[in-house]
Amino acid sequence: MAESAGDIKYLPGVGPKRAELLKKEFDIATPEDLIRIYPFRYIDRTGFQRIADLRPDLAYVQILGQVVSATLLGPSGAVVDPTPPIKFQAVKRLSVMVTDGSGTLEVVFFKGIRWNWQHLRPGERFVFFGKPSVFNDRINLVHPEVDAPQAAGTMGQGTLTGVYPSSEALKNGGITGKVMCKLQAAALEACLPTLVDPLPDYVLHDKGLVPLAFALRNIHFPKSADALQKAIRRLKFEELFLLQLSLLKQKYIRSRADNGLPMPKVGAEFNACYDALPYSLTGAQKRVIKEIRTDLTGGRQMNRLLQGDVGSGKTMVAVLSCLLAADNGYQSCIMAPTEVLARQHYANICRYLAPTKVRCALLTGSSTQRERREIHAGLQDGSIGIIVGTHALLEDNVLFQRLGLAVIDEQHRFGVDQRARLWDKGPGAPPHVLVMTATPIPRTLAMTLYGDLDVSVIDEMPPGRKPVQTLLITPSRKAALYKFMREEIARGRQVFVVYPLIFESEKTDLKNLEQGYEEIVNAFPLPDYKVAIVHGQQTSEQKEFNMAAFVAGRAQILVSTTVIEVGVDVPNASVMVIESAQRFGLSQLHQLRGRVGRGAEKSYCVLVRDYKTSREALQRLELMCRTEDGFEIAEEDMKMRGPGDLEGTQQSGLPVRLGIASLARDGILLSEAREYAEQVLATDPTLSHPLNTPLTRELRKGRYEVHDYSKIS
Ligand code: ADP
Ligand code: MG
């Protein structure tokens, strides 16, 4: 097929303008892309409701009615003279009264007034399809779809009509639900004859799945409820199976290479540190260290994700792992996402290393030339055993004599590509890699997302951590909140105040943050109080400076956006205030709350919600007040996570875009797909058997590659 023939703009009903819109909104370039945009629900359009039976809580209704009257209304509601020439510029609204014998209903248009005025002539019958709403105590339909009576029910050949993801831009560009259905029908007609099923016949047979053509026809235009179910199952399985294949293939390739640096010994340095520990390791820490040891001695390169809630003691595990490397003559690096965090790690790690002979150094963006020269030399002659640092560690001139282990803290700030860059720093073979994250991803999901990594979980907190008391308030309680903050500060404690900063509305968010900062500064004036502020628009020097002031205790209050989400440890901070808390996701709230309660003091998290808070948001906040268990919160988060910015798209927070399956809701099918993918790879690890060609071809398109873990929040 010629390249241009596959262009969506040549599909009947599209054209260059709509093509551009489809590209922009959905990244659709070809009819084949289009047919992979599925309805996210279906409407039964077989029957008609009676106007007398309409209730505002009905989702969608279909009325067969006769136009009684049509009235043009101006801005103040005054009737506009309908004798031609009509001044349409003065018309704000078209009100059409419709009857079906059981009652009358108002149908309202704010757009497309001229067209509807000309078509909806009194006496004629139409089918109106839309969502009932209430205005002035009366039910009306605003902007319903209007069809000639004979068109009803013929849209889909069957009984159910798909509702597609949409957006303001699409609707304004004329791609309404109805138009979308027509485009899908045209696209199916264009594609189906030459479409190749990415699932080989043996897969369809093994798993009892319907072929792609059947699935696509029925996902868009279901012949019956049963056919629709079969289509959904098949398409979900396809996605989950291909995703698993893609992830597991990488893992298979890695695990077959026997290039792991051998670290068989537990030696003097490990034992010196271990024996001097001021506490005993938790059961979970011990288990994870054992898992890591098994990796290090197994002859294969380790790629392990270590998950553990904030404060679960991941640093200790990292240090002991580095010492295992040291005992076997290898160097390690520990990479942190920010300078403050790197410094903090460095300080802690130096303490743990005191009983050992291992030399540790810190390399960040603000290391001086002289320090750098010394560090570069120490890394190359092997005298530095552990290097802690920021991205500065990735620079080309940082080279090691024998890099054996790379620890990456707070993985979600590093891309997979950066992880790969560390591989080139060693003496040939890639170092073992340990990635640590505090983002509590449900275990099954972690297995799936990090399919190319092995996963360890620290699911136990060190003893003695005090629970954080969580309160939910509205701004009406601000005065009481400030009083409480003053009391805590008077006891020598520190306070975080966090504002949301969400990408799209950055400007207004920044204004809110600045206003909030002023309000706090006014309520907590100098010289008694010092307030530091950190936000995304500052230079990294400004950020580091303010953060450092708070960490060192020179400022009692830190006002910030979510930049503090990652890792800083200020044991003296006892209060976390989160403004407009309803705008944060659950895992974010959990991460933020984890910043307090690290010291010996009783700590508090105060969620300040706006008066206008949706019911779902309120549920999230109430869950936060109820539990501190990161995994429980993560599970709930997965279940509650609503649509993204496009109606009907799910899980915008995930690093792969799935069209129909949900990693949260399709858990059973997911494990089935994973098992089956393992089975397929066990007999054909490189998928080079001719039967598997359709699979390789589909995978090569790149849709199922997970590149960017930073999207997990
Ligand atoms: P994470 O990095 O997982 O958030 P850290 O490694 O910073 O957690 O540990 C949090 C705190 O708990 C530190 O002050 C650390 O010294 C302490 N800690 C770690 N392991 C234990 C343990 N087994 N028993 C008591 N305290 C511990
Ligand atoms: Mg940490």
Side-chain angles (χ1 to χ4, degrees):
M1 198 184 342
E3 186 61 30
S4 59
D7 191 322
I8 188 84
K9 77 175 169 221
Y10 299 114
L11 191 72
V14 180
K17 263 218 178 105
R18 285 180 176 178
E20 207 172 291
L21 203 55
L22 287 167
K23 175 82 195 151
K24 191 159 154 274
E25 295 293 299
F26 285 126
D27 202 20
I28 292 170
T30 67
E32 290 202 13
D33 294 339
L34 183 65
I35 55 176
R36 292 299 188 148
I37 301 287
Y38 310 129
F40 63 97
R41 59 189 176 78
Y42 296 84
I43 298 163
D44 189 342
R45 291 190 66 172
T46 40
F48 299 104
Q49 276 89 349
R50 282 157 33 100
I51 289 177
D53 297 338
L54 294 192
R55 292 189 321 270
D57 57 331
L58 292 172
Y60 279 85
V61 297
Q62 181 159 259
I63 302 292
L64 178 61
Q66 186 174 36
V67 174
V68 179
S69 64
T71 316
L72 297 166
L73 299 160
S76 51
V79 175
V80 175
D81 183 3
T83 40
I86 299 169
K87 292 203 194 76
F88 277 103
Q89 317 82 281
V91 178
K92 287 287 170 266
R93 178 158 60 104
L94 167 63
S95 164
V96 178
M97 297 309 291
V98 174
T99 179
D100 67 351
S102 79
T104 49
L105 172 74
E106 186 189 14
V107 176
V108 184
F109 298 89
F110 297 98
K111 286 185 228 158
I113 289 176
R114 189 192 296 256
W115 194 92
N116 283 301
W117 167 257
Q118 282 157 3
H119 282 81
L120 302 178
R121 300 316 303 159
E124 303 211 10
R125 283 170 15 117
F126 296 94
V127 174
F128 299 91
F129 176 76
K131 173 147 188 34
S133 52
V134 183
F135 185 73
N136 279 346
D137 285 338
R138 289 180 44 159
I139 293 185
N140 63 17
L141 287 183
V142 180
H143 282 278
E145 287 177 14
V146 182
D147 280 307
Q150 65 275 18
T154 59
M155 199 60 184
Q157 304 123 342
T159 55
L160 299 165
T161 303
V163 180
Y164 290 89
S166 183
S167 70
E168 253 341 276
L170 281 184
K171 281 179 203 146
N172 290 339
I175 305 184
T176 58
K178 202 160 77 177
V179 170
M180 191 60 154
C181 285
K182 283 195 180 134
L183 297 183
Q184 290 290 5
L188 279 176
E189 204 174 312
C191 298
L192 286 185
T194 53
L195 206 62
V196 179
D197 195 329
L199 300 184
D201 284 344
Y202 80 88
V203 175
L204 300 183
H205 181 260
D206 278 2
K207 303 312 290 181
L209 301 170
V210 296
L212 181 62
F214 179 95
L216 286 174
R217 226 182 263 121
N218 281 284
I219 196 84
H220 293 294
F221 304 107
K223 254 202 300 273
S224 65
D226 179 55
L228 176 59
Q229 285 320 311
K230 288 198 171 102
I232 291 176
R233 183 179 154 79
R234 136 83 209 212
L235 294 169
K236 282 185 175 180
F237 187 87
E238 174 186 322
E239 283 186 349
L240 296 171
F241 175 61
L242 287 166
L243 175 64
Q244 292 304 323
L245 271 186
S246 161
L247 293 165
L248 289 170
K249 212 171 143 224
Q250 293 173 43
K251 189 167 164 172
Y252 269 82
I253 290 168
R254 185 168 51 76
S255 65
R256 284 158 62 92
D258 72 21
N259 56 353
L261 299 169
M263 302 188 181
K265 260 200 331 209
V266 179
E269 307 296 12
F270 181 95
N271 287 328
C273 173
Y274 193 89
D275 294 341
L277 279 181
Y279 42 73
S280 48
L281 296 183
T282 62
Q285 283 171 316
K286 282 187 195 155
R287 189 188 68 234
V288 169
I289 288 171
K290 236 184 242 152
E291 286 167 353
I292 292 171
R293 262 219 74 205
T294 310
D295 287 351
L296 297 183
T297 53
R300 296 205 198 106
Q301 186 222 0
M302 172 172 82
N303 257 299
R304 187 167 283 279
L305 175 73
L306 172 55
Q307 257 192 283
D309 225 336
V310 250
S312 61
K314 295 186 291 296
T315 315
M316 197 60 243
V317 172
V319 170
L320 289 171
S321 309
C322 293
L323 290 174
L324 282 173
D327 278 333
N328 290 279
Y330 289 99
Q331 295 164 292
S332 306
C333 69
I334 299 180
M335 209 156 84
T338 66
E339 174 139 5
V340 172
L341 210 53
R343 283 184 189 287
Q344 214 161 55
H345 268 319
Y346 177 68
N348 288 334
I349 290 167
C350 285
R351 269 208 324 276
Y352 293 132
L353 293 183
T356 73
K357 293 194 208 57
V358 176
R359 186 176 149 213
C360 183
L362 174 71
L363 179 69
T364 70
S366 55
S367 301
T368 63
Q369 280 308 319
R370 226 187 92 215
E371 287 167 332
R372 274 165 201 263
R373 267 200 304 278
E374 235 172 78
I375 288 170
H376 291 167
L379 289 174
Q380 281 185 42
D381 68 20
S383 60
I384 295 176
I386 300 175
I387 178 93
V388 180
T390 56
H391 285 85
L393 291 173
L394 294 173
E395 282 162 19
D396 290 336
N397 52 10
V398 179
L399 292 167
F400 293 77
Q401 187 193 48
R402 268 161 77 78
L403 179 63
L405 171 66
V407 179
I408 304 175
D409 194 10
E410 302 298 352
Q411 142 104 13
H412 54 298
R413 306 288 144 156
F414 288 104
V416 171
D417 300 343
Q418 286 171 317
R419 181 150 47 104
R421 269 173 80 179
L422 282 170
W423 285 30
D424 301 330
K425 304 218 163 261
H432 297 290
V433 176
L434 179 67
V435 175
M436 307 197 290
T437 177
T439 307
I441 307 161
R443 203 179 168 121
T444 50
L445 178 59
M447 297 277 206
T448 305
L449 288 180
Y450 298 102
D452 73 319
L453 299 173
D454 297 304
V455 181
S456 290
V457 182
I458 305 190
D459 49 7
E460 180 186 356
M461 282 295 190
R465 261 182 80 99
K466 296 241 168 62
V468 179
Q469 188 176 344
T470 303
L471 304 149
L472 177 59
I473 64 169
T474 58
S476 64
R477 304 276 313 278
K478 272 283 174 69
L481 172 61
Y482 288 163
K483 178 164 168 285
F484 171 68
M485 284 165 61
R486 277 190 211 97
E487 287 165 10
E488 285 290 299
I489 292 170
R491 290 204 191 102
R493 314 273 176 269
Q494 289 167 281
V495 180
F496 291 105
V497 182
V498 178
Y499 283 81
L501 187 94
I502 292 164
F503 193 68
E504 304 103 70
S505 47
E506 212 161 322
K507 280 216 177 88
T508 46
D509 281 342
L510 196 61
K511 228 169 84 201
N512 291 344
L513 171 76
E514 278 161 1
Q515 276 168 7
Y517 174 66
E518 300 233 319
E519 194 186 309
I520 301 263
V521 170
N522 287 335
F524 297 85
L526 287 165
D528 293 344
Y529 301 98
K530 284 212 186 65
V531 185
I533 178 167
V534 174
H535 58 76
Q537 305 284 303
Q538 292 173 327
T539 63
S540 46
E541 287 81 38
Q542 287 172 322
K543 272 188 231 168
E544 297 284 348
F545 177 85
N546 279 285
M547 203 85 117
F550 187 69
V551 171
R554 290 192 297 277
Q556 300 96 337
I557 301 178
L558 179 69
V559 176
S560 80
T561 54
T562 47
V563 289
I564 58 160
E565 198 183 325
V566 170
V568 271
D569 201 357
V570 184
N572 192 44
S574 64
V575 185
M576 167 65 63
V577 178
I578 304 176
E579 292 279 351
S580 300
Q582 79 282 352
R583 291 183 49 196
F584 289 85
L586 271 173
S587 351
Q588 253 181 328
L589 290 172
H590 178 70
Q591 293 285 304
L592 288 168
R593 179 167 60 184
R595 297 295 118 216
V596 295
R598 323 197 104 207
E601 299 312 320
K602 176 154 178 52
S603 299
Y604 304 86
C605 175
V606 183
L607 305 172
V608 186
R609 68 164 177 95
D610 293 353
Y611 295 108
K612 249 177 97 179
T613 296
S614 71
R615 187 137 51 89
E616 298 93 89
L618 205 56
Q619 276 175 358
R620 276 203 307 269
L621 298 176
E622 282 162 358
L623 176 72
M624 285 298 295
C625 296
R626 212 164 52 233
T627 178
E628 264 198 88
D629 179 334
F631 285 93
E632 187 181 339
I633 289 172
E635 297 278 357
E636 286 303 316
D637 198 16
M638 289 289 304
K639 284 188 210 140
M640 286 185 201
R641 196 171 289 205
D645 18 340
L646 296 170
E647 273 171 59
T649 59
Q650 305 165 349
Q651 55 209 16
S652 54
L654 296 174
V656 276
R657 241 240 160 76
L658 295 178
I660 185 166
S662 155
L663 294 175
R665 279 177 283 271
D666 296 318
I668 294 174
L669 198 59
L670 177 63
S671 342
E672 200 180 320
R674 187 177 176 91
E675 255 166 51
Y676 191 65
E678 275 168 355
Q679 197 182 314
V680 167
L681 286 171
T683 46
D684 184 14
T686 50
L687 296 180
S688 36
H689 192 283
L691 279 179
N692 287 327
T693 309
L695 292 172
T696 356
R697 199 179 305 137
E698 189 66 21
L699 288 176
R700 220 176 289 134
K701 293 181 188 162
R703 239 189 89 203
Y704 296 97
E705 270 161 42
V706 181
H707 280 298
D708 184 5
Y709 289 95
S710 70
K711 293 211 179 99
I712 301 172
S713 62

